[in-house]
């Protein structure tokens, strides 16, 4: 089941061995699994989807770069 959150600081991911790609600030949907978290977002007419390691997701939460909706700021 996906949940809503907001990107409020720098959050990056990589496609293969390529450079870091920044996810734009704004609303996202995410879904956790045992080992990773799938993030999805839209920017204008384009949609983005990526999976990041669960440890990175928790690091972004701790840094307040990702804020889950309904949780205190």
């Amino acid at each position: 089941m996906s949940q809503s959150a907001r990107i409020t600081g720098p959050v990056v991911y990589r496609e293969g061995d390529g450079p870091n790609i920044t996810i734009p600030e704004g609303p996202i949907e995410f879904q956790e699994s045992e080992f990773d978290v799938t993030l999805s977002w839209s920017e204008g007419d384009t949609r983005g989807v990526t999976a990041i390691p669960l440890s990175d997701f928790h690091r972004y939460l701790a840094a307040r770069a990702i804020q889950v909706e309904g949780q205190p700021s």
Side-chain angles (χ1 to χ4, degrees):
M1 181 167 131
S2 67
Q3 299 180 55
S4 298
R6 179 168 284 281
I7 302 289
T8 58
V11 175
V12 298
Y13 68 98
R14 292 178 84 121
E15 291 184 1
D17 292 331
N20 285 339
I21 300 169
T22 301
I23 298 173
E25 290 189 11
I28 63 167
E29 295 290 321
F30 71 94
Q31 186 167 354
E32 285 187 60
S33 73
E34 185 177 353
F35 301 107
D36 59 24
V37 178
T38 301
L39 307 175
S40 62
W41 65 94
S42 58
E43 184 177 28
D45 291 338
T46 59
R47 288 196 40 84
V49 173
T50 192
I52 62 173
L54 192 57
S55 59
D56 288 354
F57 181 72
H58 286 290
R59 182 172 47 86
Y60 288 128
L61 288 175
R64 311 286 301 147
I66 297 176
Q67 297 182 17
V68 177
E69 289 187 5
Q71 293 188 349
S73 299

